[in-house]
Amino acid sequence: MMDVFAYLVAAWIFLAGCYGLATSRDLIHAVGCLSVCQSATYVLLLAVGYRDGATAPVFSDLEPGARPVVDPVVQALALTDVVVGATVTALLLALVVQVSKRHGTVDPDELSELRG
């Protein structure tokens, strides 16, 4: 059961963010919900990279095959995901500020110029 628990937590966080995004009446809230959706990927990467009883991937003191080690690629992907998430959030918040300055509102329903 504990093997599946992290995946269920990641799915729950993602669905909570999607629900907030679907019911959002504010662009700032929508950006926050997108950040919550992306934080589900952090939990997912941690679940994929976890190995029971494994150590850090430092090979200077280990003989090959002596004990299991954690895959360092998953750790690099998680770090890259954090950096990309912060960058995307900053860009989206800058766009919300510009929309607010130009249109005077952050409510998506009141932005009639954006309708096709």
Side-chain angles (χ1 to χ4, degrees), residues 31-44:
V31 171
C33 290
L34 280 173
S35 295
V36 169
C37 286
Q38 185 162 11
S39 68
T41 62
Y42 309 152
V43 176
L44 184 64

Side-chain angles (χ1 to χ4, degrees), residues 15-54:
L15 291 175
C18 286
Y19 175 77
L21 186 61
T23 60
S24 177
R25 294 292 73 185
D26 190 348
L27 291 177
I28 297 173
H29 185 259
V31 171
C33 290
L34 280 173
S35 295
V36 169
C37 286
Q38 185 162 11
S39 68
T41 62
Y42 309 152
V43 176
L44 184 64
L45 283 170
L46 288 174
V48 167
Y50 178 75
R51 290 183 68 185
D52 194 29

Side-chain angles (χ1 to χ4, degrees), residues 16-101:
C18 286
Y19 175 77
L21 186 61
T23 60
S24 177
R25 294 292 73 185
D26 190 348
L27 291 177
I28 297 173
H29 185 259
V31 171
C33 290
L34 280 173
S35 295
V36 169
C37 286
Q38 185 162 11
S39 68
T41 62
Y42 309 152
V43 176
L44 184 64
L45 283 170
L46 288 174
V48 167
Y50 178 75
R51 290 183 68 185
D52 194 29
T55 61
V58 179
F59 298 109
S60 64
D61 62 340
L62 291 178
E63 295 179 17
R67 55 185 166 180
V69 294
V70 179
D71 187 11
V73 174
V74 178
Q75 296 174 8
L77 286 174
L79 181 61
T80 304
D81 194 13
V82 169
V83 172
V84 169
T87 305
V88 168
T89 301
L91 177 67
L92 289 175
L93 287 175
L95 288 173
V96 169
V97 168
Q98 292 302 316
V99 166
S100 176
K101 284 181 182 178

